[in-house]
Each structure stands twice: as C-alpha cells, then as structure tokens.
Amino acid sequence: MGCIHIVIFCAEMHPDGGLSGGAIAGIVIGSIAGIGIGGFAIFWFLIKKKSFADLIAIFSKK
C-alpha cells in the first residue's frame, strides 16, 4: 500500500492580521494556473474527444 502525504503551507501574516502581498500573489497565480489546466483538460478530453495517450504522443514528438 502507498502512503499519502498532505502538505499544508503556512502563509505569512501581516501584523494587522492580513496576508502578505507575496501570499496573495501566490494564491492568484495558483488559481489562474489551476483554472487554465482545468480548462485545457475540459477542452482536450470532452470537446476534442482525445485520450491521455494522444496528449502524451504530442509532447513526445521531436
């Protein structure tokens, strides 16, 4: 059996209780990247009806 590791990141807090600018930027960039990957997955697998093997084949071409 495998083991699942869960990592929890601690964001740096300002003295007034808010998140730092770097933490906010990281959240925004991570959210945009996640939405982009999800959108591509929906496009690739549902709209184009391609398989995961087709996706691998594109990236392995030289």
Side-chain angles (χ1 to χ4, degrees), residues 1 4-5 7 9-14 16 19 21 29 32 34-35 37-38 40-41 46 48 50 52 56 60 62:
M1 277 205 158
I4 297 174
H5 297 279
V7 178
F9 294 97
C10 181
E12 182 180 331
M13 300 291 283
H14 276 279
D16 62 356
L19 293 174
I29 291 170
I32 291 171
I35 291 169
I37 291 169
F40 175 77
L46 297 181
K48 291 192 77 166
K50 300 285 184 172
F52 189 71
I56 298 297
S60 63
K62 289 190 178 186

Side-chain angles (χ1 to χ4, degrees), residues 34-48 55 58-59:
I35 291 169
I37 291 169
F40 175 77
I42 290 170
F43 171 76
W44 186 260
F45 296 114
L46 297 181
I47 295 175
K48 291 192 77 166
L55 183 63
I58 289 174
F59 287 111

